[in-house]
Coordinates of all heavy atoms in Angstrom, one line a residue:
M198 N 5.6 -4.3 -7.5 CA 4.7 -3.6 -8.3 C 5.5 -2.7 -9.3 O 6.2 -1.8 -8.9 CB 3.8 -2.7 -7.4 CG 2.7 -2.0 -8.2 SD 1.4 -1.3 -7.2 CE 2.2 0.1 -6.4
V199 N 5.4 -3.0 -10.6 CA 6.1 -2.2 -11.6 C 5.1 -1.8 -12.7 O 4.1 -2.5 -13.0 CB 7.3 -2.9 -12.2 CG1 8.4 -3.0 -11.2 CG2 7.0 -4.2 -12.7
C200 N 5.4 -0.7 -13.4 CA 4.5 -0.3 -14.5 C 5.0 -1.0 -15.8 O 5.9 -1.8 -15.8 CB 4.6 1.2 -14.6 SG 6.0 1.9 -15.4
G201 N 4.3 -0.6 -16.9 CA 4.7 -1.2 -18.2 C 6.1 -1.0 -18.6 O 6.6 -1.7 -19.5
H202 N 6.8 0.0 -18.1 CA 8.1 0.3 -18.4 C 9.1 -0.5 -17.6 O 10.3 -0.4 -17.8 CB 8.4 1.8 -18.1 CG 7.7 2.8 -19.0 ND1 6.6 3.4 -18.6 CD2 7.9 3.2 -20.3 CE1 6.2 4.2 -19.6 NE2 6.9 4.1 -20.6
G203 N 8.6 -1.2 -16.6 CA 9.4 -2.0 -15.7 C 9.9 -1.1 -14.6 O 10.9 -1.4 -13.9
E204 N 9.3 0.1 -14.4 CA 9.8 1.1 -13.4 C 8.8 1.0 -12.2 O 7.6 0.6 -12.4 CB 9.8 2.5 -14.0 CG 10.6 2.7 -15.2 CD 12.0 3.0 -14.9 OE1 12.4 3.0 -13.7 OE2 12.7 3.3 -15.9
R205 N 9.3 1.4 -11.1 CA 8.4 1.5 -9.9 C 7.5 2.7 -10.1 O 8.0 3.8 -10.3 CB 9.2 1.6 -8.6 CG 10.0 0.3 -8.3 CD 10.8 0.5 -7.1 NE 10.5 -0.6 -6.2 CZ 10.4 -0.5 -4.9 NH1 10.7 0.6 -4.3 NH2 10.2 -1.5 -4.1
P206 N 6.2 2.5 -9.9 CA 5.3 3.6 -10.0 C 5.4 4.6 -8.8 O 5.9 4.2 -7.8 CB 3.9 3.0 -10.0 CG 4.1 1.7 -9.4 CD 5.5 1.3 -9.6
I207 N 5.0 5.8 -9.0 CA 5.2 6.8 -7.9 C 3.8 7.2 -7.4 O 2.8 7.2 -8.2 CB 6.0 8.0 -8.3 CG1 5.6 8.6 -9.6 CG2 7.5 7.6 -8.3 CD1 6.3 10.0 -9.8
L208 N 3.7 7.5 -6.1 CA 2.5 7.9 -5.5 C 2.2 9.4 -5.9 O 3.0 10.3 -5.7 CB 2.6 7.8 -4.0 CG 1.3 7.8 -3.2 CD1 0.5 6.6 -3.6 CD2 1.7 7.7 -1.7
R209 N 1.0 9.6 -6.4 CA 0.5 10.9 -6.9 C -0.8 11.2 -6.2 O -1.5 10.3 -5.7 CB 0.4 10.9 -8.4 CG 1.6 10.7 -9.1 CD 1.4 10.5 -10.6 NE 2.6 10.4 -11.3 CZ 3.4 11.4 -11.6 NH1 3.1 12.6 -11.3 NH2 4.5 11.2 -12.3
T210 N -1.2 12.5 -6.3 CA -2.5 12.9 -5.8 C -3.4 13.3 -7.0 O -2.9 14.1 -7.8 CB -2.3 14.0 -4.8 OG1 -1.4 13.6 -3.8 CG2 -3.7 14.3 -4.1
S211 N -4.5 12.8 -7.0 CA -5.5 13.1 -8.1 C -5.9 14.6 -8.0 O -6.2 15.1 -7.0 CB -6.7 12.2 -8.0 OG -7.6 12.6 -9.0
T212 N -6.0 15.2 -9.2 CA -6.5 16.6 -9.2 C -7.8 16.6 -10.0 O -8.3 17.7 -10.3 CB -5.4 17.5 -9.9 OG1 -5.0 16.9 -11.2 CG2 -4.2 17.7 -9.1
K213 N -8.3 15.4 -10.3 CA -9.5 15.3 -11.1 C -10.7 15.7 -10.2 O -10.7 15.5 -9.0 CB -9.7 13.8 -11.6 CG -8.7 13.4 -12.5 CD -9.3 13.1 -13.9 CE -8.2 12.8 -15.0 NZ -7.8 11.5 -14.9
K214 N -11.7 16.3 -10.9 CA -12.9 16.8 -10.2 C -13.6 15.7 -9.4 O -14.1 15.9 -8.3 CB -13.8 17.5 -11.2 CG -13.8 19.0 -11.1 CD -14.9 19.6 -11.9 CE -14.4 20.8 -12.8 NZ -15.2 21.1 -13.9
D215 N -13.7 14.5 -10.0 CA -14.5 13.5 -9.4 C -13.8 12.8 -8.3 O -14.4 12.1 -7.5 CB -15.0 12.5 -10.5 CG -13.9 12.1 -11.5 OD1 -12.9 12.8 -11.6 OD2 -14.0 11.0 -12.1
N216 N -12.5 12.9 -8.2 CA -11.7 12.2 -7.1 C -10.7 13.2 -6.6 O -9.5 12.8 -6.6 CB -11.1 10.9 -7.6 CG -12.1 9.8 -7.7 OD1 -12.7 9.4 -6.7 ND2 -12.3 9.3 -8.9
P217 N -11.0 14.4 -6.1 CA -10.0 15.3 -5.7 C -9.2 14.8 -4.5 O -9.8 14.4 -3.5 CB -10.7 16.6 -5.5 CG -12.1 16.2 -5.2 CD -12.4 14.9 -5.9
G218 N -7.9 14.9 -4.5 CA -7.1 14.6 -3.4 C -6.9 13.1 -3.2 O -6.2 12.8 -2.3
R219 N -7.5 12.3 -4.0 CA -7.4 10.9 -3.8 C -6.0 10.4 -4.4 O -5.5 10.9 -5.4 CB -8.4 10.1 -4.6 CG -8.7 8.7 -4.1 CD -9.9 8.1 -4.8 NE -10.0 6.7 -4.4 CZ -10.8 5.9 -5.0 NH1 -11.6 6.3 -6.0 NH2 -10.9 4.6 -4.6
R220 N -5.3 9.6 -3.6 CA -4.0 9.2 -4.0 C -4.0 8.0 -4.9 O -4.8 7.1 -4.7 CB -3.2 8.9 -2.7 CG -3.2 10.2 -1.8 CD -1.9 10.6 -1.4 NE -1.4 9.7 -0.3 CZ -0.2 9.8 0.2 NH1 0.7 10.6 -0.3 NH2 0.2 9.0 1.2
F221 N -3.1 7.9 -5.8 CA -2.9 6.8 -6.7 C -1.5 6.6 -7.1 O -0.7 7.5 -7.0 CB -3.8 7.0 -7.9 CG -3.4 8.1 -8.8 CD1 -2.5 7.9 -9.9 CD2 -3.7 9.4 -8.6 CE1 -2.1 8.9 -10.8 CE2 -3.3 10.5 -9.4 CZ -2.5 10.2 -10.5
W222 N -1.2 5.4 -7.6 CA 0.1 5.0 -8.1 C 0.1 5.2 -9.6 O -0.9 4.7 -10.3 CB 0.4 3.6 -7.8 CG 0.6 3.3 -6.3 CD1 -0.3 2.8 -5.5 CD2 1.8 3.6 -5.5 NE1 0.2 2.7 -4.2 CE2 1.5 3.2 -4.2 CE3 3.0 4.1 -5.8 CZ2 2.4 3.3 -3.2 CZ3 4.0 4.2 -4.8 CH2 3.7 3.8 -3.5
G223 N 1.0 6.0 -10.1 CA 1.0 6.2 -11.5 C 2.4 6.0 -12.1 O 3.4 5.9 -11.4
C224 N 2.5 5.9 -13.4 CA 3.8 5.7 -14.1 C 4.7 6.9 -13.9 O 4.2 8.0 -13.8 CB 3.5 5.6 -15.6 SG 5.0 5.4 -16.6
V225 N 6.0 6.6 -13.7 CA 6.9 7.7 -13.5 C 7.0 8.7 -14.7 O 7.4 9.9 -14.5 CB 8.4 7.2 -13.2 CG1 8.5 6.6 -11.8 CG2 8.8 6.2 -14.2
Y226 N 6.6 8.2 -15.8 CA 6.7 9.1 -17.0 C 5.4 9.8 -17.3 O 5.2 10.4 -18.3 CB 7.1 8.3 -18.2 CG 8.4 7.6 -18.1 CD1 8.5 6.2 -18.1 CD2 9.6 8.3 -17.9 CE1 9.7 5.5 -17.9 CE2 10.8 7.7 -17.7 CZ 10.9 6.3 -17.7 OH 12.0 5.7 -17.5
Y227 N 4.5 9.7 -16.4 CA 3.2 10.4 -16.5 C 3.3 11.9 -16.8 O 4.1 12.5 -16.0 CB 2.4 10.1 -15.2 CG 1.0 10.7 -15.2 CD1 0.0 10.1 -16.0 CD2 0.7 11.8 -14.4 CE1 -1.3 10.6 -15.9 CE2 -0.6 12.3 -14.3 CZ -1.6 11.7 -15.1 OH -2.9 12.2 -15.1
E228 N 2.7 12.4 -17.8 CA 2.8 13.8 -18.2 C 4.2 14.2 -18.6 O 4.4 15.4 -18.8 CB 2.3 14.7 -17.0 CG 0.8 14.7 -16.9 CD 0.3 15.5 -15.7 OE1 1.1 15.8 -14.8 OE2 -0.8 15.9 -15.7
V229 N 5.1 13.3 -18.8 CA 6.5 13.7 -19.2 C 6.7 13.1 -20.7 O 7.1 13.9 -21.5 CB 7.5 13.1 -18.3 CG1 8.9 13.5 -18.7 CG2 7.3 13.6 -16.9
Q230 N 6.4 11.9 -20.8 CA 6.6 11.3 -22.2 C 5.5 10.2 -22.3 O 4.5 10.2 -21.6 CB 8.0 10.7 -22.4 CG 8.5 9.8 -21.2 CD 9.8 9.2 -21.5 OE1 9.8 8.1 -22.2 NE2 10.9 9.7 -21.0
D231 N 5.7 9.3 -23.2 CA 4.8 8.2 -23.4 C 4.6 7.4 -22.2 O 5.6 6.8 -21.7 CB 5.2 7.3 -24.6 CG 5.0 8.0 -25.9 OD1 4.2 8.9 -26.0 OD2 5.5 7.5 -26.9
T232 N 3.4 7.4 -21.7 CA 3.1 6.6 -20.5 C 2.6 5.2 -20.9 O 2.2 5.0 -22.0 CB 2.1 7.3 -19.5 OG1 0.8 7.2 -20.1 CG2 2.5 8.7 -19.2
C233 N 2.6 4.3 -19.9 CA 2.2 3.0 -20.2 C 0.8 2.8 -19.6 O 0.3 1.7 -19.5 CB 3.1 2.0 -19.6 SG 3.4 2.3 -17.9
D234 N 0.1 3.9 -19.2 CA -1.2 3.9 -18.6 C -1.3 3.1 -17.4 O -2.4 2.6 -17.0 CB -2.2 3.4 -19.6 CG -2.4 4.4 -20.8 OD1 -2.2 5.6 -20.6 OD2 -2.6 3.9 -21.9
F235 N -0.2 3.0 -16.7 CA -0.3 2.3 -15.4 C -1.0 3.2 -14.4 O -0.8 4.4 -14.3 CB 1.1 2.0 -14.8 CG 1.1 1.3 -13.5 CD1 1.1 0.0 -13.4 CD2 1.0 2.0 -12.3 CE1 1.0 -0.7 -12.2 CE2 1.0 1.4 -11.1 CZ 1.0 0.0 -11.1
F236 N -2.0 2.6 -13.7 CA -2.8 3.3 -12.8 C -3.4 2.4 -11.7 O -3.9 1.3 -12.0 CB -4.0 4.0 -13.6 CG -4.9 4.8 -12.7 CD1 -4.6 6.1 -12.5 CD2 -5.9 4.2 -12.0 CE1 -5.4 6.9 -11.6 CE2 -6.8 5.0 -11.2 CZ -6.5 6.3 -11.0
R237 N -3.2 2.8 -10.5 CA -3.8 2.0 -9.4 C -4.1 2.9 -8.2 O -3.2 3.7 -7.8 CB -2.8 0.9 -9.0 CG -3.4 -0.1 -8.1 CD -2.5 -1.3 -8.0 NE -2.3 -2.0 -9.2 CZ -1.5 -3.1 -9.4 NH1 -0.9 -3.6 -8.4 NH2 -1.4 -3.6 -10.6
W238 N -5.3 2.9 -7.7 CA -5.6 3.7 -6.5 C -4.8 3.2 -5.3 O -4.6 2.0 -5.1 CB -7.1 3.6 -6.2 CG -8.0 4.3 -7.2 CD1 -9.0 3.7 -8.0 CD2 -8.1 5.7 -7.5 NE1 -9.6 4.7 -8.7 CE2 -9.1 5.9 -8.4 CE3 -7.4 6.8 -7.0 CZ2 -9.4 7.2 -8.9 CZ3 -7.7 8.1 -7.5 CH2 -8.7 8.2 -8.4
A239 N -4.4 4.2 -4.6 CA -3.7 3.9 -3.3 C -4.5 4.3 -2.2 O -4.3 5.2 -1.4 CB -2.4 4.7 -3.3
D240 N -5.6 3.5 -2.0 CA -6.6 3.8 -1.0 C -6.0 3.5 0.4 O -5.5 2.5 0.6 CB -7.9 3.0 -1.2 CG -8.7 3.6 -2.3 OD1 -8.9 4.9 -2.3 OD2 -9.2 2.9 -3.1
P241 N -6.2 4.5 1.3 CA -5.7 4.2 2.7 C -6.5 3.1 3.4 O -5.9 2.4 4.2 CB -6.0 5.6 3.4 CG -6.9 6.4 2.5 CD -6.7 5.8 1.2
E242 N -7.7 2.9 2.9 CA -8.5 1.8 3.5 C -7.8 0.4 3.3 O -7.7 -0.4 4.2 CB -9.9 1.7 2.8 CG -10.8 2.8 3.2 CD -10.7 4.1 2.3 OE1 -9.8 4.0 1.4 OE2 -11.4 5.0 2.5
T243 N -7.3 0.2 2.1 CA -6.6 -1.0 1.7 C -5.4 -1.2 2.6 O -5.2 -2.3 3.2 CB -6.2 -1.0 0.3 OG1 -7.3 -0.5 -0.5 CG2 -5.9 -2.4 -0.2
G244 N -4.6 -0.1 2.7 CA -3.4 -0.2 3.6 C -3.7 -0.4 5.0 O -3.1 -1.2 5.7
G245 N -4.8 0.2 5.5 CA -5.3 0.0 6.8 C -5.7 -1.4 7.2 O -5.3 -1.9 8.2
A246 N -6.4 -2.0 6.2 CA -6.8 -3.4 6.4 C -5.6 -4.3 6.5 O -5.5 -5.2 7.3 CB -7.7 -3.8 5.3
L247 N -4.6 -4.0 5.6 CA -3.4 -4.8 5.6 C -2.7 -4.7 7.0 O -2.2 -5.6 7.5 CB -2.5 -4.3 4.5 CG -2.2 -5.3 3.4 CD1 -1.7 -4.5 2.2 CD2 -1.1 -6.3 3.8
Q248 N -2.6 -3.4 7.4 CA -2.0 -3.1 8.7 C -2.7 -3.9 9.8 O -2.0 -4.4 10.7 CB -2.0 -1.6 8.9 CG -0.9 -1.1 9.7 CD 0.5 -1.2 9.0 OE1 0.5 -1.4 7.8 NE2 1.5 -1.0 9.7
D249 N -4.0 -3.8 9.8 CA -4.8 -4.5 10.8 C -4.5 -6.0 10.9 O -4.4 -6.5 12.0 CB -6.3 -4.3 10.5 CG -6.8 -2.9 10.9 OD1 -5.9 -2.2 11.5 OD2 -7.9 -2.5 10.6
S250 N -4.4 -6.6 9.8 CA -4.1 -8.1 9.8 C -2.7 -8.3 10.3 O -2.5 -9.3 11.0 CB -4.3 -8.7 8.4 OG -3.2 -8.2 7.5
K251 N -1.8 -7.4 10.0 CA -0.4 -7.6 10.6 C -0.4 -7.5 12.1 O 0.2 -8.2 12.8 CB 0.4 -6.4 10.0 CG 1.4 -6.9 8.9 CD 2.3 -5.8 8.5 CE 3.0 -6.1 7.2 NZ 3.7 -5.0 6.6
I252 N -1.2 -6.5 12.6 CA -1.3 -6.2 14.0 C -1.9 -7.5 14.7 O -1.4 -7.9 15.7 CB -2.1 -5.0 14.3 CG1 -1.3 -3.7 13.9 CG2 -2.4 -4.9 15.8 CD1 -2.1 -2.4 13.8
A253 N -3.0 -8.0 14.0 CA -3.7 -9.2 14.6 C -2.7 -10.3 14.7 O -2.7 -11.1 15.7 CB -4.8 -9.5 13.7
R254 N -1.9 -10.5 13.7 CA -0.9 -11.6 13.7 C 0.1 -11.4 14.8 O 0.5 -12.4 15.5 CB -0.2 -11.7 12.3 CG -0.3 -13.1 11.7 CD 0.4 -13.1 10.4 NE -0.1 -12.2 9.4 CZ 0.6 -11.7 8.4 NH1 1.8 -11.9 8.2 NH2 0.0 -10.9 7.5
C255 N 0.6 -10.2 15.0 CA 1.5 -9.9 16.0 C 0.9 -10.1 17.4 O 1.6 -10.7 18.3 CB 2.0 -8.4 15.9 SG 3.2 -8.1 14.6
R256 N -0.3 -9.8 17.6 CA -1.0 -10.0 18.9 C -1.1 -11.4 19.2 O -0.9 -11.9 20.3 CB -2.4 -9.4 18.8 CG -2.4 -7.8 18.9 CD -3.6 -7.3 19.7 NE -3.6 -5.9 19.7 CZ -4.5 -5.1 19.2 NH1 -5.5 -5.6 18.5 NH2 -4.4 -3.8 19.3
K257 N -1.4 -12.2 18.2 CA -1.5 -13.7 18.3 C -0.2 -14.3 18.8 O -0.1 -15.1 19.6 CB -2.0 -14.3 17.0 CG -2.8 -15.6 17.2 CD -3.3 -16.0 15.9 CE -3.9 -17.4 16.0 NZ -4.2 -17.9 14.6
K258 N 0.9 -13.8 18.1 CA 2.2 -14.2 18.4 C 2.6 -13.9 19.9 O 3.1 -14.7 20.6 CB 3.2 -13.5 17.5 CG 4.4 -14.4 17.2 CD 5.2 -13.7 16.1 CE 6.4 -14.6 15.7 NZ 7.2 -13.9 14.7
I259 N 2.2 -12.7 20.3 CA 2.5 -12.3 21.7 C 1.8 -13.2 22.7 O 2.4 -13.6 23.7 CB 2.1 -10.8 21.9 CG1 3.1 -9.9 21.1 CG2 2.1 -10.4 23.4 CD1 2.7 -8.4 20.9
T260 N 0.5 -13.4 22.4 CA -0.3 -14.3 23.3 C 0.4 -15.7 23.4 O 0.5 -16.2 24.5 CB -1.7 -14.5 22.7 OG1 -2.2 -13.1 22.4 CG2 -2.6 -15.1 23.7
T261 N 0.8 -16.2 22.2 CA 1.5 -17.5 22.2 C 2.8 -17.5 23.1 O 3.0 -18.4 23.9 CB 1.8 -17.9 20.8 OG1 0.7 -17.7 20.0 CG2 2.3 -19.4 20.7
L262 N 3.5 -16.4 22.9 CA 4.8 -16.3 23.6 C 4.6 -16.2 25.1 O 5.3 -16.7 25.9 CB 5.6 -15.1 23.1 CG 6.2 -15.2 21.7 CD1 6.8 -13.9 21.2 CD2 7.3 -16.3 21.7
K263 N 3.5 -15.4 25.5 CA 3.2 -15.2 26.9 C 2.8 -16.6 27.5 O 3.3 -16.9 28.7 CB 2.0 -14.2 27.0 CG 2.5 -12.8 27.1 CD 1.4 -11.9 27.4 CE 1.8 -10.4 27.5 NZ 0.7 -9.5 27.4
T264 N 2.1 -17.4 26.8 CA 1.7 -18.7 27.3 C 2.9 -19.6 27.5 O 3.0 -20.2 28.5 CB 0.7 -19.3 26.3 OG1 -0.3 -18.4 25.9 CG2 0.1 -20.6 26.8
R265 N 3.8 -19.5 26.5 CA 5.0 -20.3 26.6 C 5.9 -19.9 27.8 O 6.5 -20.7 28.5 CB 5.9 -20.1 25.3 CG 5.4 -21.1 24.2 CD 6.4 -21.2 23.1 NE 5.7 -21.7 21.9 CZ 6.2 -21.5 20.7 NH1 7.3 -20.8 20.5 NH2 5.6 -22.0 19.7
L266 N 5.9 -18.5 28.0 CA 6.7 -18.0 29.1 C 6.2 -18.5 30.4 O 7.0 -18.9 31.3 CB 6.7 -16.4 29.0 CG 7.6 -15.7 30.0 CD1 9.0 -15.9 29.6 CD2 7.3 -14.2 29.9
K267 N 4.9 -18.5 30.5 CA 4.2 -19.1 31.7 C 4.7 -20.5 32.0 O 5.0 -20.9 33.1 CB 2.7 -19.0 31.6 CG 2.1 -18.0 32.6 CD 0.6 -18.0 32.4 CE 0.0 -16.6 32.8 NZ -1.4 -16.5 32.4
D268 N 4.7 -21.3 30.9 CA 5.1 -22.7 31.0 C 6.5 -22.8 31.5 O 6.8 -23.7 32.3 CB 5.0 -23.4 29.6 CG 3.5 -23.5 29.2 OD1 2.6 -23.4 30.1 OD2 3.3 -23.8 28.0
V269 N 7.4 -21.9 31.0 CA 8.8 -22.0 31.4 C 8.9 -21.6 32.9 O 9.7 -22.2 33.6 CB 9.6 -21.0 30.5 CG1 11.0 -20.9 31.0 CG2 9.6 -21.5 29.1
E270 N 8.2 -20.6 33.3 CA 8.3 -20.1 34.7 C 7.7 -21.2 35.6 O 8.1 -21.4 36.7 CB 7.5 -18.8 34.8 CG 8.3 -17.6 34.3 CD 7.5 -16.3 34.3 OE1 6.2 -16.4 34.5 OE2 8.0 -15.3 34.0
Ligands
ZN440 ZN1 5.4 3.3 -17.1

């Protein structure tokens, strides 16, 4: 994930009234110089869902390995 400058965006916290404390990814040059208007919400929900699918995959792998282990034993 890179912004219009080809730089990695940094995690910021919104100070806007309508979304206070909400985290988002913004251009590194935000409020410093010309920004490229890169903007993406960094919702914990999205990360959580991703994490959940990872965990589900790991659990499946463990189950498969346990079954194989039984076969070996
Ligand atoms: Zn940028």
